Amino acid sequence: MTGSRILAFGHYQPSRVLTNDDLAQIVDTNDEWIRDRVGIATRRIADSETVADMAGFAAEKALANAGLTPADIDLVVVATCSSVDRSPNVACRVAAKLGINAPGAYDINTACSGFSYALGTVDHAIRAGAARNALVIGAEKLSDFTDWTDRSTCIIFGDGAGAAVVTAAAEEDAPGVGPVIWGSVPEKSDAVRIEGWRPYIQQEGQSVFRWATTALAPLALQACERAGVAPEEIAAFVPHQANARIIDGIAKRLGMPQAVVAKDIVESGNTSAASVPLALSKLIERREVPSGAPVLLFGFGGGLTYAGQVVRCP
């Protein structure tokens, strides 16, 4: 195998919209303060939908966009940190919902960098001949772990899912998924956490902000270097949608003047592992990125973990 490529994306968000004005009825905050601090205007909140439900809906859309059926899929990987159930895993539940027969199926939890980690492992599996067509999904229901009395965190998070169909690249074609760069900062792992049996999301916002805006741009540029793509060639930059100021800070340091910078944070909030595929799926749906163009993905957050790669837009 020469590598893998992405055939299509799909996404799903719950119908319930939670505005900043809605949050102002719950905690001491207001629209101006939230927009200035994190850049968020709205977020979606799941009521009856589970992580597996949202993952399945996004995967169905990606399959339809790819022109494939569940029978074509032999590997399902779900990135999530918010599944309430330990077993069965979300990937098996998605496979059952879609009627996928006997796929490899596993979940991966590196929190906000999860989609790029999952895409990297799927690319490796396809290169090794262990899979031919795969579903890679990021799905989160962070509202289950949000303390709605804590104004420093409840303004940030939302629910949703994004999915990609990944297939083996033909022998004559260049790979459409570049080498992954991944890593972590274990000594700072407590900066973002969901711990215990009845956990709430807790984070040290300033510590994460400083790390993200100072350490990550050079790492993202390494992903470009490994893919053999110059920064000025990148058509879109899709980072984890953590905070608008973080996104702006990283983008400014990358030197990608032509790149569309994803800002789904404004309408979706922080959806952890779902944020990168959700944001890119919307850019593609709106035709803001041309087919075949190089796109830099970069996830970062809880752990502290990070991962990114350059992909060709389907």
Side-chain angles (χ1 to χ4, degrees):
M1 297 294 179
T2 61
S4 66
R5 62 189 179 95
I6 298 174
L7 287 178
F9 277 87
H11 64 274
Y12 174 82
Q13 292 181 280
S15 60
R16 181 155 74 96
V17 177
L18 186 67
T19 69
N20 292 342
D21 289 336
D22 293 331
L23 282 169
Q25 304 303 311
I26 302 172
V27 292
D28 181 17
T29 191
N30 59 68
D31 179 70
E32 182 181 2
W33 188 86
I34 295 171
R35 287 177 184 263
D36 180 66
R37 190 175 180 86
V38 293
I40 298 170
T42 63
R43 67 285 293 147
R44 300 293 185 96
I45 302 298
D47 292 317
S48 59
E49 300 105 320
T50 66
V51 172
D53 289 334
M54 292 186 287
F57 294 144
E60 281 183 317
K61 188 173 179 179
L63 275 175
N65 289 338
L68 298 185
T69 70
D72 296 311
I73 300 298
D74 53 11
L75 177 61
V76 180
V77 181
V78 177
T80 186
C81 65
S82 57
S83 175
V84 174
D85 299 324
R86 271 59 173 177
S87 182
N89 64 24
V90 179
C92 282
R93 285 191 160 145
V94 170
K97 287 175 181 292
L98 300 186
I100 300 171
N101 183 42
Y106 63 89
D107 292 356
I108 188 168
N109 177 7
T110 60
C112 307
S113 63
F115 182 79
S116 280
Y117 263 86
L119 181 59
T121 66
V122 164
D123 176 56
H124 297 162
I126 289 175
R127 287 175 182 269
R132 179 72 189 180
N133 297 310
L135 278 168
V136 185
I137 308 165
E140 302 284 14
K141 189 177 181 182
L142 297 174
S143 58
D144 279 347
F145 301 93
T146 298
D147 180 354
W148 296 103
T149 67
D150 178 7
R151 76 168 190 162
S152 68
T153 58
C154 75
I155 64 172
I156 298 172
F157 301 103
D159 303 332
V165 176
V166 184
T167 190
E171 293 290 341
E172 65 273 15
D173 294 335
V177 177
V180 66
I181 175 169
W182 51 20
S184 62
V185 188
E187 64 272 21
K188 295 183 179 180
S189 60
D190 284 347
V192 183
R193 58 197 183 274
I194 306 175
E195 298 175 324
W197 290 105
R198 293 184 177 178
Y200 287 134
I201 301 169
Q202 301 175 67
Q203 67 175 19
E204 298 169 10
Q206 288 304 311
S207 176
V208 174
F209 183 87
R210 286 192 297 270
W211 170 70
T213 53
T214 59
L216 296 184
L219 297 170
L221 289 173
Q222 285 183 33
C224 296
E225 183 179 354
R226 291 190 184 184
V229 178
E232 57 269 21
E233 297 178 274
I234 295 294
F237 174 46
V238 187
H240 166 49
Q241 303 292 292
N243 176 309
R245 291 190 297 155
I246 289 176
I247 294 170
D248 290 339
I250 297 173
K252 184 177 180 179
R253 299 187 65 194
L254 289 177
M256 299 177 175
Q258 305 302 318
V260 174
V261 179
K263 286 287 191 73
D264 191 47
I265 181 77
V266 176
E267 63 180 38
S268 299
N270 179 337
T271 57
S272 190
S275 74
V276 167
L278 178 60
L280 182 51
S281 181
K282 289 183 178 182
L283 289 180
I284 292 170
E285 191 171 76
R286 296 194 298 260
R287 302 185 184 278
E288 294 185 32
V289 187
S291 178
V295 177
L296 174 61
L297 312 182
F298 201 81
F300 55 89
L304 295 169
T305 63
Y306 57 85
Q309 58 270 98
V310 174
V311 303
R312 294 286 171 176
C313 185

